[in-house]
Structure formats: C-alpha cells, structure tokens
C-alpha cells in the first residue's frame, strides 16, 4: 500500500511542478511566501520534497531522509 501511495506522491509532485503557474494562480500569494521567493517557488520546493519523500518511502530510507529532523527534535518524530 505504501508503494502505491508513494507512486501517486511522485506523480503528484511532477504535476505540482509542471502546472505550478495554474496552481499558484488558483491558490494565490500569501505574505510569507514572498520571503521564500513567491508562490511558484513554494510549489517547486513542495514538489521536490514530496518527490524525495516518496522515493525514500519506496526504498525504506525515511530515517536517513529525516535524520536532520531527528537530530533537532531528539528522535520523537516517527515513534
């Protein structure tokens, strides 16, 4: 089941990056997005994170992918 959801996540990430202009115009621009580079850059960053998270789920390397978060929060994520 996780492999199927990960494949859908990868497809969603590609569509999120490909159609970022349409999605960005639909969602609008928030003030905090301007500091990151605008709504289009937020969608690109989100798509890249979703894609790599999906790949990590398929390969079983989520702990390696989220290692910086484990270091910051003391390993409480995922327990």
């Amino acid at each position: 089941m996780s492999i199927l959801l990960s494949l859908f996540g990868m497809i969603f990430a590609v569509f999120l990056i490909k159609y970022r202009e349409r999605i960005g115009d639909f969602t609008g621009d928030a003030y905090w997005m301007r500091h990151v580079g605008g709504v289009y850059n937020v969608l690109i960053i989100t798509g890249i994170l979703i894609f790599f998270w999906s790949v990590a789920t398929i390969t079983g390397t989520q702990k390696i992918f989220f290692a910086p978060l484990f270091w910051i929060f003391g390993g409480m994520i995922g327990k």
Side-chain angles (χ1 to χ4, degrees):
M1 185 67 176
S2 66
I3 294 175
L4 185 63
L5 288 175
S6 297
L7 290 174
F8 284 132
M10 291 170 70
I11 292 169
F12 175 70
V14 169
F15 280 111
L16 191 67
I17 293 171
K18 184 174 181 179
Y19 297 111
R20 66 183 174 268
E21 186 176 357
R22 291 182 190 174
I23 296 170
D25 291 341
F26 179 73
T27 58
D29 191 20
Y31 179 73
W32 63 270
M33 292 180 188
R34 295 180 189 156
H35 300 292
V36 182
V39 65
Y40 303 129
N41 283 346
V42 169
L43 291 174
I44 290 171
I45 292 169
T46 304
I48 290 170
L49 289 175
I50 290 172
F51 185 83
F52 282 125
W53 188 352
S54 299
V55 170
T57 303
I58 288 174
T59 59
T61 57
Q62 289 174 328
K63 291 204 179 232
I64 296 170
F65 184 68
F66 291 116
L69 292 177
F70 291 143
W71 295 330
I72 292 171
F73 296 110
M76 293 303 296
I77 298 175
K79 287 189 176 182

